[in-house]
Amino acid sequence: MLVKNDVVVVGGGPVGMLLASELALAKVRVRVLEQRPTRTEQSRALTVHPRTLEILDQRGIVDRFQRRGVPVPAGHFAWLDTPLDFSRLDTRHPYTLWLAQAQTEALLEERARELGVDIQRGRSVVEVAEREGEVALRVEGPAGQAEERARYVVGCDGARSVVRRSIGVGFPGTETTVTAILGDVELDEPPARPFRHTCSRGSVLAAPLPPGDHEGVYRFVVFDPQRVHVSTSEPVTLEELQSGVARIVGRDFRMRNPRWLSRFGNATRVAERYRRGRVLLAGDAAHIHFPAGGQGLNVGLQDAMNLGWKLAAEVNGWAPPHLLDSYHAERHPVGVALGRNTEVQTKLGDFSEAGLALRQMMSELLAMDPVNRRISEMISALDVAYPTGGAAEAHPWVGRRAPDRALVTDSGASRLYELLHAARFVLLDLAGAVDLREAGAAWGDRVDVVRATAAPEGDLAAVDAVLVRPDGHVAWASDAARRATRLADLRSALASWCGPA
């Protein structure tokens, strides 16, 4: 059978749709196989974090999400009384966007279809196997069972990933020991404002869902010490949600008409490998955790942003040998760190006298600006920096996310993230260095060379030139102290990241 697709993405949730879009942007033939016949209508994840907004900005589509969501200049850590202050973070998007996952998924599917992605719903992948330089997929659908083949397959198919199991990648971690419940319900007696209530009887968070398809619906999250050991397989009832809220808060707000009820646990697992041969994993297929801080969806989308351009480079034939393996090297530690911080937050869900005292102490620490900023950067993923490969002489910016600063280019006023809309490398010459621009031009099919000036008082004034990856992280940078070797260093970096000239 002929290979019909360069890449098959298994799973059509937000992660799969963003990854497919990234591949299609690079002219890769990609098909998405999704077992659900229609998109989810459940609100599910509600938080889009600053770093995710940045990557959407880098592709020129963040405004679509901003029009639908509600900006909130705060986050939380373990639902402590002191909120995380995102408003002071160094980003153009210093807020979380309160937006239902159903709308996030719809917007990302819209983007994928605009780019020509072949999306097939109602088709379940039941087995994946690598064979003779390609991957075979056994797929069940309305027309029966069929086999498809692709050069690469990416599993974005969730915690119970068929793709991960098929290729025998281990999923080590811990089992569920604590559960909590959530419910999206209508209220006859809604609270005057969103609230968090924590006491020895447990904790309740309540907030209205974002406007749109969920008008008038409230999200309740309940940590009830009397119910924390109930299996995640036991269905949640409206009566259980009502009684838990009433016992902890003192009233049940006259809940009715539940839209979604779910029980979730603190099982924490990270795939041993994010890549095995021609098969890769992203999102919940690669990592699961207690949904504290609203991080899971965001980390999955950031996985897709890291993987998309690398896999496209491999398919299009210009990737250097190590490039696709760098996906695991860069994103696996992020998955491990995610699991650790959510386990810490789970430990703070102790409502004994000692546990409440610990929560109070942590709230007081979060009131200190440096502590609040540190935890805010962690939860929002603005602190993610990738390893430099042991290069001691690398510029301090290498591996970090590039700052989105105002620029004046030969084409007029711009911003750095606007230069990344095409998902290509950007070599930014800030010192009028003809030799650097000429060197970059040798990779002109992969690199956009831009001469620009930046504000003299900003951080870009401290560098002569920056090579920015398609995902917005810095691949190379130079300053006055490195001027003697910068041309050779740039050529080395271009060859290392972009393959042969």
Side-chain angles (χ1 to χ4, degrees):
M1 181 185 294
L2 293 175
V3 178
K4 294 184 178 179
N5 292 283
D6 294 321
V7 179
V8 167
V9 175
V10 182
V15 175
M17 290 300 177
L18 179 60
L19 176 61
S21 296
E22 288 293 289
L23 293 165
L25 196 58
K27 309 302 180 186
V28 171
R29 294 171 300 166
V30 57
R31 171 175 290 176
V32 175
L33 299 178
E34 168 54 50
Q35 65 178 352
R36 297 171 300 166
T38 59
R39 285 196 308 270
T40 182
E41 295 182 358
Q42 296 169 345
S43 58
R44 296 184 178 269
L46 294 170
T47 303
V48 183
H49 279 158
R51 181 55 185 162
T52 303
L53 293 167
E54 286 189 343
I55 67 175
L56 297 171
D57 195 352
Q58 289 166 13
R59 295 298 180 262
I61 58 174
V62 70
D63 58 321
R64 307 182 188 192
F65 296 81
Q66 290 169 323
R67 286 195 293 267
R68 298 283 191 91
V70 177
V72 180
H76 74 85
F77 187 79
W79 293 274
L80 295 171
D81 290 339
T82 302
L84 299 177
D85 183 2
F86 286 177
S87 69
R88 290 184 287 181
L89 294 175
D90 182 18
T91 173
R92 288 184 183 272
H93 305 285
Y95 52 89
T96 60
L97 199 64
W98 190 243
L99 181 68
Q101 181 174 324
Q103 295 191 39
T104 298
E105 185 176 313
L107 290 168
L108 290 170
E109 180 174 336
E110 175 185 80
R111 163 73 165 178
R113 291 190 183 279
E114 289 171 359
L115 294 169
V117 173
D118 177 15
I119 300 171
Q120 299 193 358
R121 292 190 172 274
R123 303 195 67 203
S124 300
V125 173
V126 296
E127 187 179 24
V128 172
E130 185 172 342
R131 299 174 187 166
E132 300 176 354
E134 61 185 28
V135 185
L137 303 95
R138 190 154 52 89
V139 185
E140 292 181 349
Q145 194 170 107
E147 184 179 85
E148 295 200 15
R149 299 195 180 187
R151 293 173 64 185
Y152 291 89
V153 167
V154 185
C156 302
D157 52 338
R160 297 179 179 86
S161 172
V162 170
V163 175
R164 187 189 63 242
R165 294 200 305 269
S166 290
I167 62 174
V169 169
F171 205 35
T174 59
E175 299 287 350
T176 294
T177 58
V178 171
T179 59
I181 63 174
L182 63 79
D184 294 345
V185 294
E186 296 179 14
L187 305 176
D188 284 336
E189 298 176 355
R193 61 184 63 86
F195 70 86
R196 288 192 300 269
H197 180 88
T198 300
C199 62
S200 60
R201 297 182 299 277
S203 181
V204 173
L205 179 148
L209 292 187
D213 299 333
H214 305 94
E215 199 75 41
V217 179
Y218 269 71
R219 162 69 57 87
F220 281 82
V221 182
V222 182
F223 297 85
D224 185 347
Q226 296 187 20
R227 304 288 291 172
V228 293
H229 300 300
V230 177
S231 169
T232 54
S233 63
E234 181 173 324
V236 181
T237 65
L238 179 61
E239 290 71 26
E240 180 184 5
L241 181 68
Q242 286 174 317
S243 63
V245 171
R247 183 165 52 253
I248 297 166
V249 179
R251 52 182 294 209
D252 68 4
F253 304 97
R254 296 184 62 190
M255 300 178 185
R256 60 180 173 81
N257 193 18
R259 303 289 183 85
W260 184 42
L261 299 170
S262 179
R263 195 183 312 275
F264 55 92
N266 66 326
T268 303
R269 300 182 179 277
V270 182
E272 290 178 334
R273 299 291 307 171
Y274 282 19
R275 177 193 180 192
R276 175 160 288 173
R278 292 180 174 270
V279 183
L280 301 103
L281 304 170
D284 287 353
H287 42 75
I288 62 169
H289 58 93
F290 196 65
Q295 300 170 85
L297 170 67
N298 292 275
V299 173
L301 293 173
Q302 293 151 27
D303 289 343
M305 191 71 164
N306 183 287
L307 175 59
W309 65 275
K310 296 175 180 178
L311 184 53
E314 187 74 24
V315 170
N316 289 330
W318 60 260
H322 71 282
L323 186 63
L324 198 52
D325 282 333
S326 74
Y327 170 60
H328 171 84
E330 292 182 344
R331 294 305 297 175
H332 184 268
V334 175
V336 171
L338 169 67
R340 287 174 179 164
N341 92 55
T342 53
E343 286 178 322
V344 168
Q345 293 186 71
T346 306
K347 290 293 185 183
L348 288 168
D350 176 359
F351 306 110
S352 66
E353 185 174 341
L356 291 173
L358 177 61
R359 289 179 62 86
Q360 178 61 33
M361 182 183 297
M362 287 298 299
S363 290
E364 291 170 0
L365 288 172
L366 277 182
M368 301 176 183
D369 287 347
V371 177
N372 198 293
R373 184 181 184 88
R374 173 68 187 90
I375 302 299
S376 295
E377 289 177 343
M378 177 183 70
I379 295 297
S380 66
L382 294 181
D383 70 339
V384 172
Y386 298 135
T388 61
E393 71 281 2
H395 191 280
W397 282 18
V398 173
R400 292 171 42 192
R401 46 182 272 277
D404 184 28
R405 303 295 189 241
L407 301 167
V408 178
T409 72
D410 291 345
S411 301
S414 185
R415 294 186 289 116
L416 178 54
Y417 285 6
E418 290 177 342
L419 303 179
L420 292 168
H421 286 184
R424 290 161 53 89
F425 281 84
V426 171
L427 174 59
L428 198 61
D429 168 25
L430 295 160
V434 175
D435 57 342
L436 297 184
R437 298 201 301 275
E438 289 177 346
W443 281 265
D445 59 332
R446 284 150 273 173
V447 180
D448 291 328
V449 180
V450 180
R451 183 173 63 176
T453 57
E457 70 278 4
D459 47 9
L460 284 180
V463 295
D464 294 337
V466 183
L467 179 64
V468 183
R469 302 177 352 175
D471 60 1
H473 282 257
V474 176
W476 169 87
S478 180
D479 54 25
R482 294 168 169 78
R483 197 161 294 168
T485 61
R486 70 183 183 184
L487 182 59
D489 292 344
L490 172 61
R491 286 174 174 154
S492 176
L494 286 165
S496 177
W497 285 107
C498 305

